[in-house]
Amino acid sequence: MAKQTSYTMRDVARLAGVSISTVSAVVNNKGIVGPELTSVVKKAIAAMNFSPNAGARGLRTGRTHMLGLVVQDITNPFFVEALRGVEDQAIEHGYEVLVCNSNDQSALELRHLNALHTKRVDGILLAPTDSYAVRETLSQDRAPVVFIDCVPLKAKVNCVVTDNFDACYNGVRYLIGLGHQRIAVICGRLTHSTSIDRVEGCRKAMQESNLLLREEHLHHGDSHIESGYRIGLSLLQSSDPPTAIFTLNNRMALGILRAITELKVPCPSRVSVMSFDDADWAEVVSPSLTTIGQPSYEMGKDAVDLLLRSILPATEQAEAKPQQIPLKSTLRVRGSTGPVYKK
Amino acid sequence: MAKQTSYTMRDVARLAGVSISTVSAVVNNKGIVGPELTSVVKKAIAAMNFSPNAGARGLRTGRTHMLGLVVQDITNPFFVEALRGVEDQAIEHGYEVLVCNSNDQSALELRHLNALHTKRVDGILLAPTDSYAVRETLSQDRAPVVFIDCVPLKAKVNCVVTDNFDACYNGVRYLIGLGHQRIAVICGRLTHSTSIDRVEGCRKAMQESNLLLREEHLHHGDSHIESGYRIGLSLLQSSDPPTAIFTLNNRMALGILRAITELKVPCPSRVSVMSFDDADWAEVVSPSLTTIGQPSYEMGKDAVDLLLRSILPATEQAEAKPQQIPLKSTLRVRGSTGPVYKK
DNA sequence: CTGTTAGCGCGTTCAC
DNA sequence: GTGAACGCGCTAACAG
């Protein structure tokens, strides 16, 4: 079993009594082999349980039919949904997906990117850990890249992203409409274009209502439960607590909810909570969580489509100008947000 | 960019003014090339941004340094955690992971398995969709397989699984200790060894207390929220509702909780809920959910270790007898379970 | 220590 | 329609 020596085309050719190229033609459905010979060959293939060696084929054709997907944090359900979209669409087109988790470390991300290059994947889907890092790795002679979720700053690239700015703008306007004035925003790391856009969206909505998103109302977390929990505790216990908390991702929201439960702060009567990213559990937590949902599955699908287009450029100009595919998010109002509390 | 023509060893050799094999020796750290030549070669490699073509290398060596991971349902956080363990451990040993989602369809699973064979992965981690399906595909001349979570029936295979039987036995004993007699068990598809073992564990615990796990108390769902929800509704609205509900996976528990919330049934005072699989949100839902947690990350890690051992057999006997690595689960008592309700 | 040579399994011209 | 020969990029013998 350690042998791992499968049959080759030569073996099949020998058994079928034809030449290698005939077998090749059959395997690749060239449609130039006579029907009776075709069936003989196919029988031989089945008998030997032959399957072509993709490595050798790739060496010859220059295509591996593999896509690389590099995500910052596979622990985040958002990326799992995107992964599903990627996989489904990849399968559809005869591609396999090499999944890499950067675990929020640029160094690991770079390592993955290099490994993918060595594997000669035909294209890469990248949800980068850092929008500032200059990626020399995606220059020249390497596979085309499509960014998802988060994009590099000041660079025109192929990407598919949510309307982060608008989503947060609308979200905050909704909160303001409820009468909230002291709104705390808990953002992820500002090295993500995603976080930056979201914060800007919040800022604009507040400015329009002559409210300021003051420094003390903008809290920096990462994307994990713990940071949401810690920030939630300090926020709720402060002398002048916000009447609404908007977390820019759903796991921090989970932390906030835990803090709220522990402190027995009535929600939404005392404090409203809203979160970016929808989740399975959003309807079941108590209170159910108002969220802004992203079409993550579609994001994965669209990204593969875009990537495939630059892998197989129909026309030359098709790959000339980088394309941005914007996706719309939707506000799902549930139980955790309500009118502001009046003394 | 569509060119995708990277530099080859020959290019590097030419630039460095050495022979191809010298470059190869440097690339593979053979340690047989003189220090000054080594540095010359390395400089050339860096200058050209050369990275070896893994396909060609694999063709030559018979190893691709790729592992395949096939899971029934990547949507399940349990498998995501396992995936993390797999990836981390694979990276550690210089392997990449080809992730495939069977989406609970045997046909798709088979397709993935064949694709992985064609890609000549060095080994496969498989969480099968069905314990009964006879997998001819994992016979002979194919890569070694390690099963995770769910195993084929009546077959000695390499696998790493949780102590499903014991876990449920202990869980149900805990419920019985609380005074519960009418315990409803909601299981996944009984084509999974996992489900079978869990149900048997429940059955034994109940028998020991002279309780019977009657047919009408065993409910068949899948592993999704919806089925939990539907079953929950019918259970709670029946004329003789159970005093405790034990779901054999956590997403069905989410469905149960939704039903409870909707019907405003007091939990745990009227009905206790317990679930297999722990989750992020288990502490935050209301009431917080009592669960049986599996060490899924370790499962992934251990599976890779086991797989690597059969890929690189130190001794012949190492691969001779299939090994089962059992993992222990832990009961996490939270707010959703309590003493039985007395009229 | 270093260079030369022969395939690994496949797809692809070409002659037949 | 079909078959023989070449080479994709690399590693492993072997010769120097």
Side-chain angles (χ1 to χ4, degrees), chain B residues 213-227:
Chain B
L213 179 55
R214 304 242 293 277
E215 261 319 302
E216 62 266 38
H217 291 142
L218 181 60
H219 296 81
H220 303 264
D222 45 38
S223 70
H224 295 282
I225 295 184
E226 273 311 301
S227 77

Side-chain angles (χ1 to χ4, degrees), chain A residues 111-112 117 143 191 210 263 297 308 311:
Chain A
R111 189 167 153 186
H112 281 309
H117 175 55
T191 48
N210 293 316
L263 262 30
Y297 181 84
L308 255 26
I311 290 176

Side-chain angles (χ1 to χ4, degrees), chain B residues 43-175:
Chain B
K43 215 157 287 176
I45 289 176
M48 311 183 93
N49 212 316
F50 165 81
S51 93
N53 182 318
R57 175 183 276 173
L59 190 55
R60 204 41 244 223
T61 61
R63 316 232 80 106
T64 57
H65 285 271
M66 291 195 297
L67 262 29
L69 170 65
V70 184
V71 297
Q72 346 158 353
D73 179 13
I74 193 66
T75 273
N76 191 333
F78 168 75
F79 288 115
V80 176
E81 266 309 289
L83 161 57
R84 283 188 54 238
V86 167
E87 257 230 87
D88 288 357
Q89 198 69 355
I91 288 278
E92 194 70 23
H93 293 273
Y95 283 79
E96 253 83 42
V97 183
L98 225 22
V99 176
C100 307
N101 178 26
S102 312
N103 212 20
D104 279 327
Q105 301 160 238
S106 303
L108 190 49
E109 176 181 302
L110 187 56
R111 189 167 154 187
H112 281 308
L113 254 12
N114 287 331
L116 291 178
H117 175 54
T118 256
K119 291 282 191 292
R120 296 297 189 273
V121 294
D122 291 340
I124 293 177
L125 275 346
L126 176 58
T129 59
D130 188 329
S131 285
Y132 288 96
V134 186
R135 313 223 153 282
E136 351 71 54
T137 79
L138 42 90
S139 60
Q140 287 68 283
D141 75 287
R142 284 174 95 114
V145 175
V146 166
F147 286 85
I148 58 177
D149 181 53
C150 169
V151 299
L153 262 26
K154 312 181 206 175
K156 283 295 176 200
V157 294
N158 279 317
C159 64
V160 17
V161 290
T162 309
D163 58 340
N164 291 296
F165 183 93
D166 291 347
C168 286
Y169 173 77
N170 292 330
V172 170
R173 280 187 61 90
Y174 159 72
L175 290 177

Side-chain angles (χ1 to χ4, degrees), chain A residues 2-108:
Chain A
K3 255 304 174 31
Q4 173 75 320
T5 307
S6 305
Y7 288 111
T8 75
M9 276 195 167
R10 182 156 58 237
D11 301 321
V12 176
R14 198 142 40 201
L15 178 64
V18 298
S19 88
I20 297 181
S21 60
T22 304
V23 177
S24 173
V26 170
V27 168
N28 296 319
N29 293 316
K30 292 283 182 192
I32 54 173
V33 178
E36 67 294 336
L37 245 197
T38 298
S39 98
V40 171
V41 172
K42 284 199 168 164
K43 216 158 285 176
I45 288 176
M48 309 183 96
N49 211 314
F50 165 80
S51 91
N53 181 319
R57 175 182 275 172
L59 194 52
R60 226 5 259 201
T61 61
R63 317 233 79 108
T64 57
H65 285 270
M66 290 195 298
L67 263 28
L69 171 65
V70 184
V71 296
Q72 346 158 352
D73 179 12
I74 192 67
T75 273
N76 190 334
F78 168 75
F79 289 114
V80 176
E81 267 309 290
L83 161 58
R84 284 188 54 236
V86 168
E87 257 231 88
D88 287 358
Q89 198 69 356
I91 289 279
E92 194 70 23
H93 293 272
Y95 283 79
E96 254 82 43
V97 182
L98 225 21
V99 176
C100 307
N101 178 24
S102 312
N103 213 22
D104 279 328
Q105 301 160 239
S106 304
L108 190 48

